[in-house]
Structures are given as C-alpha cells and as structure tokens.
Amino acid sequence: MDTAPKRTPLAPVHEALGARMIDFGGWWMPVQYHGILEEHRAVRGQAGLFDISHMGEIFVTGPGAEACLNRLLTNDVTQLENGQGQYTLLLNERGGVIDDLLCYRLEQNHYLLLVNASKIEEDFLWLQSHATAGIAVDNQSDLWAGLALQGPNAEAILRSLLGPDVPLPARNQIATLGIPNGPILLARTGYTGEDGFEWFCPAQTAPIWWDKLLEAGRPLGLLPCGLGARDTLRLEAGFTLNGSDLSPEHTPLEAGLSAFVKLDKGDFIGRTALAAQRDSGLARRLVALVLEGKTPPPRPHYPIFNADSLVGETCSGSLSPTLGQGIAMAYLPSALCAPGTRVELEIRGRRFPALVSKRPLYRRPTA
Amino acid sequence: MNIPQDLLYAKTHEWLRLSGASATVGITDHAQHELTDVVYVELPAVGTHVAAGQQICVVESVKAASDIYSPAAGTVESVNDALSSDPALLNTEPYGRGWIFTLRLDGEADLSSLKPPAAYAQQLAGQ
C-alpha cells in the first residue's frame, strides 16, 4: 500500500523553516532543522520545541471509566486524582505490549489517553472492543495538535508567554488553560529526561502557538527540534520506544517497566501471564549498553555476542551526544544483565566491547 | 553549494584531486550537507586496492551510515587520521582538512567517467 504520509497541522511550518522531512511511521515529520547534535544540546542546556501532533488523543468517559481502564491498563488508575497522569501500558492476553501511553484523569470518570502515533487505530479499536457498557471511547487525535517544550528553560519560557498568574502543573500533572486560541491541555511530562511540558491545543491553532512559543523562547535559547534529537534524548534518558524496544513479543517486566505494572491491584488483561512470568523468573531483560571508546554509532538490529555465542541484538542505538559514546538497548539473557557485564557488539563484521549499564544513562542535574 | 574548480567529481558525490600519479579523495559539500552531522568515519586500510566505483569506506551521521565509493582505481596510500578524532571536519572543511584518503592510481586508471565542475553542478541542479 503506497499512501502519502499524513501531515500534522505544523507540516507547512516545518517546511518553511527548512526542516528535513521524513515519512515516520506514516507521518510527514521533521527529523531535524539545523542538526541533531545542536538540537539535542539545546534541550539538555536550554530548551527545545517539538511537534508531537502525530501522537493520539483518546478520551475515555462515562460512569465506570475508572474501573474499565483499570482492567485494560497495567498501572493503577485508582491512584490518580483529578489533574494527575501516569505512565502505563496496554497489553494483550499474553502480557505482550500493544502500546505504552500516558493516562490522565481530567475529572472523575473522564480520562485522556496519550498514545503512540503508529498505534492510534489499534489502541482505539482495542479500547472500544473491550470497553464496558456505558463507556464512551472517543478518538479525537485529528482534532488536537501537540507541542513538547522540553529543557531546563521550559518553565521560564512558559512564564514569559503566559505571565506570572497562570498556575503551571507540577510533574506528571495536567491543567486546562482557558485562554484565547484554547483550550490548552498542559501536562508537565516529556520524553527527553528534562523538565518540560506537553501542550495540547485545537489542531487549527497549532501554528499560532508554535510561533508564540518559539518567540517567547528565543531569548532563552529555545530551538525547534526534530525527531532525530527526540530519539537520542529519549535513549539517553532510558525511555523505551514502542515498535523498537517494546513489542507484543515482550512483556513490560522484561522491558524493566515493573514499576508501572501493579500486579496486586486486581485483574487486568495480561495479568495472568505477567504473574506467571514473575513467579518463574525472567529469561531475558532489556538492558542499556555503553560502547567503550570510539566506535561507529550502534543502530537497531546489530548482533550482540558473549564470547562466541550470539546472545541478542540491539533494538535501539545511537551515538549519545552527551556521553560522546555509542549507546544502545537490547534484550539479553538474564545471566548477562548485571551492570558491568561485558558483551560485544558486531558492526559491519567487527566486534566492539560494550558494557551493560544501569538505566537511565543520563539523569538531569538536580538544582 | 561550493564546487571548487580544480577537482573532478563522481556522480556519487566524491571529489578527486589529481597530483601526478596520486590523487586525494573526499566528499563534496553537497554530500556533507545531505549526510548532516558526521560523527564517525571508518577509514579504509592503507594498501587496499580498489576498482573505480567500488565501496571503500563508511561515513556515519547520527541517523545513518553511508557508503563512500572510490572515484578511481588504485591502491590506498594514506588516510586522514584526523577524522578519527574529529569526524566533523567532513562537514566543516569537506575540500580541505576533511579529505579522506589518497590513492596511488593504477597505471591504466580511467578518469573519463568523472565529471568536471560544471557537469557536477549540472547534476546537482537536476536533482
């Protein structure tokens, strides 16, 4: 099937800025504006602005929405108060990952699920077919645009745009801003390892807010950033990417996401399989790898060896701009998962030593 | 795009600077721009013999690995070790300190498939 990629409301803005555009999972998205390294460093040091309009917004509402979601998602939805969000996963019956997402409780029995672009339709159909009577599952992905403002200067930039009186959400919280060209759903979350916000606005207002945010941020070092930097940032920060590091073939326990899986909260789809896996022990786990010395940048699907046996392959990999070294993620046999274990990565027929390391590889400096 | 007048160009965006029986090889300004930030150069081994158009080394940006092809037949005489510590020289000085290797040309090396600057400029204009 050869269909033209979907365009976000910001595609013309990216093209006008001279961004390099690519087809990313069916979306026409900027991979970079001036350079991935420069954009990466802007987010670590000042701030970056990303178009995340390709991500999906699915609203789940109605009496019993809380209980319904709690049977479909791995984290404990009942822990959320109004205005709070949590990272969570949607699993199949075998405990394999369909998607990872953020679940926000806007009001009682009124939830927003922020899902991966490539999974919008699949998640929506799954939620719809598993929803209990009286629950409305509403895919509003085409009605909303999303901008991610990330970096140590993100808060100062929003302050400069919104003035001193607008209350900003705390970490993992979401607020509704009733301002002109709104409403805005403003969440304090991100995928970069930095402080930051995700700003959801009506699709047609996206170019207005993109320009306003860039203008407010310019004196504070804000740069527009593409998916290239988004990938290197999330990899350093140890965040998994669905489709690369997560898949229906792996459970969240294997992916090191057990903090977001509440096996004791009551039944949910995939729980039986996960409980069995927990009891029998994990055969493989997702680890971070740091290559030693100067090496070619690791990329997905590079083979990994322990002595002379093939023990796995990379699922994500890149040069880490912050560390100046190659980094990767891979599922390895549990015996090789202890930090400090040395394995070898094969790149174009040559082997390079890599050290199993604790995730995340980058943690932002605390003030 | 900068296309110096004193070089020959391959349609795969390498340049060649003739100097007697030897030649210096690098990638063009257009190529470095398309590659974006170069973060690793896998240099060829000195003494390697290559045919014209044969893949000889690899240049990597954050996003992709790209093959580099030898514009002429010959034996690799020397490589630019500075690229090991500073691969970004390929971006900043593609025709200068970002050269990749030198080649001792084969006696019968045929350079007729390489383009003069005007023809290479035309190729870029047609893309």
Side-chain angles (χ1 to χ4, degrees), chain A residues 262-284:
Chain A
K262 300 297 192 284
L263 288 173
D264 299 330
K265 72 171 179 169
D267 199 23
F268 59 90
I269 294 180
R271 186 192 173 281
T272 311
L274 295 189
Q277 193 179 51
R278 177 195 56 184
D279 295 342
S280 64
L282 299 172
R284 298 177 82 77

Side-chain angles (χ1 to χ4, degrees), chain A residues 7-285:
Chain A
R7 291 167 67 84
T8 78
L10 291 167
V13 178
H14 304 315
E15 286 162 350
L17 283 169
R20 201 172 290 247
M21 306 290 286
I22 55 160
D23 183 342
F24 173 77
W27 289 86
W28 190 237
M29 299 296 290
V31 64
Q32 65 160 56
Y33 297 84
H34 292 291
I36 292 172
L37 298 177
E38 182 188 5
E39 292 163 25
H40 181 107
R41 287 179 188 126
V43 174
R44 289 276 178 259
Q46 293 89 34
L49 187 64
F50 301 81
D51 180 7
I52 56 166
S53 303
H54 58 315
M55 297 190 77
E57 293 82 9
I58 297 175
F59 291 82
V60 179
T61 51
E66 179 185 79
C68 171
L69 285 176
N70 225 22
R71 286 185 49 84
L72 295 177
L73 300 171
T74 60
N75 211 330
D76 187 356
V77 182
T78 67
Q79 297 291 307
L80 295 176
E81 310 274 347
N82 288 348
Q84 289 184 341
Q86 62 187 190
Y87 177 78
T88 188
L89 296 111
L90 187 67
L91 305 183
N92 62 28
E93 298 286 354
R94 303 188 319 278
V97 175
I98 297 172
D99 203 4
D100 64 335
L101 57 136
L102 286 160
C103 172
Y104 295 104
R105 175 167 141 157
L106 301 175
E107 290 164 46
Q108 190 181 8
N109 285 321
H110 186 182
Y111 292 87
L112 163 62
L113 306 183
L114 185 72
V115 308
N116 281 298
S118 59
K119 295 288 173 180
I120 295 172
E121 203 56 28
E122 190 178 341
D123 291 0
F124 173 63
L125 293 174
W126 180 273
L127 291 163
Q128 215 178 27
S129 63
H130 289 84
T132 39
I135 309 293
V137 180
D138 186 10
N139 177 12
Q140 294 193 9
S141 300
D142 289 340
L143 302 179
W144 294 87
L147 307 180
L149 175 67
Q150 299 283 304
N153 292 347
E155 180 172 345
I157 291 166
L158 277 191
R159 275 275 159 257
S160 138
L161 177 70
L162 298 171
D165 300 326
V166 174
L168 298 178
R171 192 79 196 148
N172 289 325
Q173 299 206 340
I174 192 166
T176 306
L177 310 184
I179 55 178
N181 292 308
I184 307 300
L185 287 167
L186 182 63
R188 195 156 198 162
T189 45
Y191 194 49
T192 61
E194 298 299 332
D195 184 23
F197 299 85
E198 295 185 326
W199 170 287
F200 301 97
C201 55
Q204 72 277 8
T205 67
I208 299 171
W209 290 117
W210 175 271
D211 288 345
K212 279 182 188 285
L213 283 162
L214 269 191
E215 197 180 320
R218 192 163 295 127
L220 290 161
L222 177 66
L223 288 186
C225 295
L227 294 179
R230 193 167 166 79
D231 193 51
T232 54
L233 289 158
R234 70 94 192 165
L235 196 52
E236 285 184 349
F239 295 126
T240 49
L241 171 64
N242 195 13
S244 297
D245 314 310
L246 302 178
S247 77
E249 280 67 55
H250 292 290
T251 72
L253 304 186
E254 293 167 324
L257 300 173
S258 54
F260 310 101
V261 178
K262 300 297 192 284
L263 288 173
D264 299 330
K265 72 171 179 169
D267 199 23
F268 59 90
I269 294 180
R271 186 192 173 281
T272 311
L274 295 189
Q277 193 179 51
R278 177 195 56 184
D279 295 342
S280 64
L282 299 172
R284 298 177 82 77
R285 288 195 283 132

Side-chain angles (χ1 to χ4, degrees), chain B residues 5-42:
Chain B
Q5 288 303 307
D6 59 334
L7 307 177
L8 290 170
Y9 297 88
K11 66 175 189 305
T12 47
H13 308 287
E14 294 85 9
W15 55 259
L16 180 143
R17 179 180 286 121
L18 262 180
S19 161
S22 292
T24 305
V25 175
I27 61 168
T28 66
D29 190 28
H30 170 82
Q32 71 77 18
H33 183 257
E34 287 299 305
L35 286 170
T36 70
D37 295 327
V38 174
V39 296
Y40 189 83
V41 182
E42 192 167 277

